[in-house]
Amino acid sequence: MVYEVHREYTLKRFQEIIDYVKKRHSVHCVKIFHVAGETRPGDIAVVILVQSVGRKEAFEAAREIIDLVKHTTGIWKLEYREDGVYWVLGESERIMRDEVIEKRGA
C-alpha cells in the first residue's frame, strides 16, 4: 500500500480536528500521526493519542477523530492486490487505478 498525503492541507486539517474534538469532548491533549509513503500489510498507518479524565470521553473522541481523519483530510491510499491496483475510497469501497486514469483521459 502507498499513502499519498497532501501535507500542508492535512496538517491544517489535523489541527482543525484537534481543536474541534477538544471543544466537543472533555479531552485535554490530542495528537494525530499518520504514515506517508509505502507500507506493508500489518504496518501501523495511524496513531491517535487522547488524554482525558475518563475513558469514555477518550474513546468517543478517538472514534470521532479516526472518522474525520479518514474522510476529511488529504490522505489517499493506493492498494496493490493480486487482482490489480486500487484507490481505497471508504469502508470497503475501491476503484481500480486504471479506471481513474481512463476517466481523466491520461
Side-chain angles (χ1 to χ4, degrees):
M1 291 182 284
V2 177
Y3 287 95
E4 290 192 13
V5 178
H6 184 291
R7 184 174 168 75
E8 183 179 328
Y9 176 75
T10 297
L11 291 175
K12 180 179 178 245
R13 280 297 300 141
F14 281 3
Q15 189 58 55
E16 291 169 353
I17 291 167
I18 289 167
D19 294 343
Y20 169 77
V21 168
K22 280 180 160 182
K23 287 178 187 171
R24 187 167 155 80
H25 301 276
S26 292
V27 297
H28 305 290
C29 180
V30 176
K31 300 289 182 187
I32 305 168
F33 302 93
H34 200 293
V35 70
E38 192 171 327
T39 63
R40 296 183 311 187
D43 286 353
I44 294 172
V46 64
V47 174
I48 296 172
L49 303 169
V50 179
Q51 178 191 27
S52 75
V53 173
R55 286 179 291 181
K56 181 180 179 189
E57 295 85 359
F59 288 135
E60 288 173 357
R63 184 174 295 115
E64 188 165 10
I65 292 165
I66 194 67
D67 286 340
L68 290 167
V69 167
K70 189 172 191 174
H71 298 291
T72 69
T73 60
I75 301 171
W76 302 276
K77 180 166 64 171
L78 188 62
E79 191 174 78
Y80 291 82
R81 302 168 59 102
E82 290 180 10
D83 60 341
V85 180
Y86 296 85
W87 286 106
V88 179
L89 305 177
E91 294 308 314
S92 19
E93 189 178 354
R94 290 173 173 75
I95 184 168
M96 287 195 84
R97 182 181 60 176
D98 294 342
E99 290 178 28
V100 174
I101 293 170
E102 288 171 12
K103 287 180 183 178
R104 292 181 70 200

